Amino acid sequence: MGSHYPGTECEVRALNAYIKLLRAAESLNARMSQKVAAHHLTLSQFGVLESLCHLGPLPQCKLGEKLLKSSGNITMVVDNLEKLGLVERRRDSQDRRVVTVYLTAEGRGLIERIFPEHVAVIVEEMRVLDEGEQEQLGQLCRKVGLKSG
């Protein structure tokens, strides 16, 4: 579905590209949400576990920045993961304002068990594109994502 906006050729082209990008991302996110929900997680919770697994413990504010979540949202996500026993928070002894999030043994076990399945699903989703198209998509998304005001 494209734009029905009766604007200039440039405006319509930009709107159509934007709509297609958002629809593709939302569609893919919906499918991925269903997959992680089978493990009783949200995509945000999965993202926290995956980040901590691959990057190690992170200050909660850095975790929010990495996952593009507001401070309030990342707090709620980490709260819920902590209640499940998958992460723990520790205050920095030098700067009590800094709260670092760590995976628990249970959290590490879960993410290490389900991450290979997640990768397989992503590989399957991306099979609609050949290798070159996947590279090009990555480059184009990075270009759009890095654009600053």
Side-chain angles (χ1 to χ4, degrees):
M1 170 181 236
S3 171
H4 296 285
Y5 177 69
T8 66
E9 185 179 329
C10 176
E11 290 170 333
V12 171
R13 183 177 50 252
L15 284 169
N16 283 338
Y18 176 75
I19 289 166
K20 289 172 186 171
L21 177 62
L22 286 185
R23 288 181 61 80
E26 289 296 327
S27 179
L28 183 57
N29 271 341
R31 293 192 299 274
M32 298 310 293
S33 289
Q34 289 178 334
K35 299 294 184 183
V36 299
H39 301 285
H40 309 289
L41 296 171
T42 66
L43 272 181
S44 293
Q45 291 170 331
F46 180 88
V48 167
L49 296 177
E50 186 273 331
S51 294
L52 296 175
C53 181
H54 293 112
L55 299 175
L58 291 169
Q60 187 168 298
C61 61
K62 296 292 182 199
L63 196 51
E65 289 171 14
K66 176 166 181 42
L67 298 173
L68 303 176
K69 302 293 177 192
S70 69
S71 62
N73 185 263
I74 198 66
T75 297
M76 181 184 68
V77 171
V78 173
D79 281 349
N80 290 331
L81 287 170
E82 197 169 37
K83 287 175 190 171
L84 294 171
L86 301 175
V87 302
E88 66 179 5
R89 292 179 173 113
R90 297 183 201 156
R91 287 214 177 267
D92 186 292
S93 60
Q94 304 300 316
D95 185 348
R96 303 281 299 154
R97 296 170 298 175
V98 177
V99 176
T100 301
V101 183
Y102 294 78
L103 274 179
T104 63
E106 186 178 350
R108 180 166 300 285
L110 176 63
I111 194 64
E112 287 178 351
R113 190 177 83 247
I114 67 176
F115 191 73
E117 173 190 327
H118 183 75
V119 171
V121 170
I122 290 172
V123 168
E124 185 59 34
E125 288 284 343
M126 290 294 128
R127 279 208 172 111
V128 299
L129 304 173
D130 66 32
E131 291 175 12
E133 290 170 328
Q134 288 180 36
E135 288 288 333
Q136 185 179 24
L137 176 62
Q139 291 167 358
L140 293 171
C141 287
R142 180 173 173 83
K143 188 175 186 177
V144 170
L146 290 178
K147 183 188 181 313
S148 61

